[in-house]
Amino acid sequence: MTSKHIKILLLGNSAVGKTSLLMRYTKNEFQNNYISTSGYDCISKKLKIKNMNIVLQITDISGQERFKSISQQFYNKVDGFIFVFDVTNNESFQEINNWLTDAQDKNSNFDYVIVGNKIDLKDSIIIKREDVTNSNIFGNAKYFETSAKNNINVKEAFEELTKMILKRLKREGSIADDEFNTVDTFSLSHSNHNSINEKKGSCF
Ligand code: GTP
């Protein structure tokens, strides 16, 4: 059985919930207390489609890291980005444009989705769906309103991005046709041992 490694990078301001989304998706865990990521962490998750194993290598970079400038080499290896903001924090939304521009400057071939996290904080939401979808910046980007806390739309965001990447790799010829023949309708299934903790930074 063939295996395909796919690298996904979570980017966004500090405290928007990047680590929480990663932990919810890979371990189905959530912590209320905030411990800022130092540098970056990587967790792998295995998925299966038809007769192919997919290893998602998801890296979560501290929101502080942009100021230390993430290296071109690092960005170049990324297949897909998840740009995360907090729907209760306007600054984190405005900053998405900078995170996106940074990525576009350093990597010309990637897919991405936009995630507005903390949708459970209903009374404090200031960035509405239409603020994102009407924005010129994001064009036709797919947008997910998520809650890492209440497990809303988390799997959907990660797996939609994975499908977008796989479709592109197929178009580019990096995945053979016979590895999955119904790419438009494929479904991803989680394998039994689906989460492997890796040493910091070992994904890149
Ligand atoms: P940095 O590592 O500093 O870049 O932060 P981060 O983006 O990884 O944020 P983190 O996941 O550490 O979450 C920051 C805080 O927000 C923590 O207190 C989380 O418990 C909280 N949080 C994360 N996701 C949610 C959510 O969906 N809803 C609510 N209510 N709180 C959340």
Side-chain angles (χ1 to χ4, degrees), residues 77-116:
K77 292 180 182 158
V78 175
D79 299 299
F81 292 88
I82 301 184
F83 296 104
V84 186
F85 68 92
D86 171 350
V87 291
T88 70
N89 178 318
N90 186 46
E91 191 189 335
S92 74
F93 173 57
Q94 300 301 331
E95 285 277 321
I96 289 291
N97 189 25
N98 294 330
W99 289 105
L100 177 61
T101 308
D102 261 15
Q104 284 166 334
D105 284 349
K106 292 175 181 150
N107 179 340
S108 54
N109 197 21
F110 62 83
D111 294 288
Y112 69 94
V113 295
I114 311 277
V115 161

Side-chain angles (χ1 to χ4, degrees), residues 6-11 18-19 22 26 37 39-44 56-62 70 74 78 80-82 158 198-204:
I6 288 180
K7 294 184 194 305
I8 291 178
L9 182 60
L10 289 148
L11 290 177
K18 300 179 296 297
T19 305
L22 178 61
T26 56
T37 304
Y40 50 90
D41 288 320
C42 176
I43 297 181
S44 292
L56 292 186
Q57 296 176 310
I58 310 166
T59 301
D60 160 36
I61 292 200
S62 149
I70 303 162
F74 192 83
V78 175
F81 292 88
I82 301 184
F158 278 99
E198 297 201 354
K199 283 184 190 147
K200 277 190 179 189
S202 61
C203 281
F204 283 84

Side-chain angles (χ1 to χ4, degrees), residues 125-174:
I125 295 173
I126 50 174
I127 306 298
K128 305 252 165 40
R129 171 169 280 280
E130 54 270 25
D131 297 324
V132 182
T133 52
N134 292 341
S135 151
N136 292 331
I137 301 162
F138 306 123
N140 294 326
K142 293 214 165 129
Y143 175 55
F144 293 87
E145 291 181 316
T146 64
S147 167
K149 183 173 184 171
N150 292 356
N151 199 9
I152 299 168
N153 258 343
V154 177
K155 178 173 178 283
E156 286 76 5
F158 278 99
E159 295 188 4
E160 180 59 33
L161 178 62
T162 304
K163 288 180 188 180
M164 289 162 69
I165 294 166
L166 288 170
K167 285 181 192 175
R168 176 170 51 82
L169 294 177
K170 189 182 170 190
R171 278 197 308 277
E172 292 171 358
S174 320

Side-chain angles (χ1 to χ4, degrees), residues 58-72:
I58 310 166
T59 301
D60 160 36
I61 292 200
S62 149
Q64 301 293 333
E65 284 296 303
R66 201 174 84 238
F67 307 106
K68 295 182 199 159
S69 173
I70 303 162
S71 77
Q72 170 117 26

Side-chain angles (χ1 to χ4, degrees), residues 1-9 25-26 42-49 52-59 77 79-80 158 162 165-166 169 175 188-191 193-198 202-204:
M1 192 179 280
T2 53
S3 265
K4 186 79 195 164
H5 285 68
I6 288 180
K7 294 184 194 305
I8 291 178
L9 182 60
Y25 181 52
T26 56
C42 176
I43 297 181
S44 292
K45 184 175 177 80
K46 279 189 181 172
L47 299 172
K48 223 174 138 191
I49 160 178
M52 183 167 61
N53 282 321
I54 296 159
V55 183
L56 292 186
Q57 296 176 310
I58 310 166
T59 301
K77 292 180 182 158
D79 299 299
F158 278 99
T162 304
I165 294 166
L166 288 170
L169 294 177
I175 295 176
L188 298 163
S189 56
H190 296 234
S191 72
H193 30 275
N194 65 1
S195 178
I196 314 156
N197 255 317
E198 297 201 354
S202 61
C203 281
F204 283 84

